[in-house]
Amino acid sequence: MTDTFLLPTDTRSPEELLMAGEYDSVTPETKDFVLGEEFSTEDDSAEVIIELVEFDRRMIVSEVFAEIRQRGLLRPTARDCLRFGATPPHAQRPPLVFLHKPWHIGFGILRVMILGNLFGRERRLYTGEPIGRWPEHYRFPARRPSI
């Protein structure tokens, strides 16, 4: 069974979406990215369907992108992560790795946003490097193309 979520049109600012997520914690580098100049200003506020891609084994990013393409899906945006985080938390079973266009934090290090939790209780928005192997319980949101 594939989990899908409709994100309705949402014109709130990145800061408003961050607050609407009601996270228990947001890492400083994530907050700096969302509120900074690198955060995409392209208009992706229209309604979108997010499909959660999951695997039963550890995956590397190239394998995740290959599966996303095979399903006819698109890479999510950073704004999709914030919009999804602002949806009711019961709809989320983290960790969810949003493989949006990564940003640089210096020294050639790239980051993407992750919706997760701490010990199954605390809702967190944090970052990870889009390299290496992701554990099998991680899920990867992707966009369905607009019709």
Side-chain angles (χ1 to χ4, degrees):
M1 181 175 138
T2 301
D3 288 335
T4 59
F5 299 90
L6 173 66
L7 299 181
T9 300
D10 195 329
T11 58
R12 290 180 283 184
S13 72
E15 184 173 14
E16 291 170 322
L17 288 169
L18 189 61
M19 296 300 295
E22 298 180 354
Y23 303 104
D24 295 305
S25 67
V26 177
T27 59
E29 70 183 10
T30 304
K31 190 171 187 177
D32 289 347
F33 168 63
V34 170
L35 302 178
E37 292 180 13
E38 278 194 82
F39 195 84
S40 175
T41 57
E42 68 185 63
D43 182 17
D44 57 357
S45 59
E47 179 179 279
V48 65
I49 296 174
I50 296 292
E51 184 173 314
L52 301 183
V53 179
E54 41 188 327
F55 302 92
D56 58 1
R57 61 185 174 88
R58 295 173 63 88
M59 300 297 290
I60 59 174
V61 172
S62 61
E63 294 170 320
V64 174
F65 279 132
E67 180 66 21
I68 286 171
R69 280 191 302 276
Q70 182 178 346
R71 293 185 188 195
L73 302 172
L74 305 170
R75 173 183 227 162
T77 67
R79 186 175 173 83
D80 289 341
C81 178
L82 296 180
R83 291 171 64 191
F84 194 89
T87 63
H90 70 274
Q92 304 169 25
R93 182 171 51 89
L96 302 169
V97 180
F98 283 78
L99 292 174
H100 54 78
K101 180 181 175 187
W103 79 95
H104 293 86
I105 63 167
F107 306 106
I109 299 172
L110 298 174
R111 291 285 196 239
V112 294
M113 290 189 287
I114 303 170
L115 289 173
N117 61 34
L118 186 61
F119 307 119
R121 294 185 309 268
E122 183 179 300
R123 288 187 76 229
R124 300 175 61 212
L125 181 61
Y126 60 103
T127 66
E129 287 187 83
I131 60 172
R133 290 204 175 272
W134 294 94
E136 58 275 355
H137 65 283
Y138 280 53
R139 301 189 306 163
F140 303 88
R143 288 177 147 235
R144 284 196 179 161
S146 303
I147 297 175

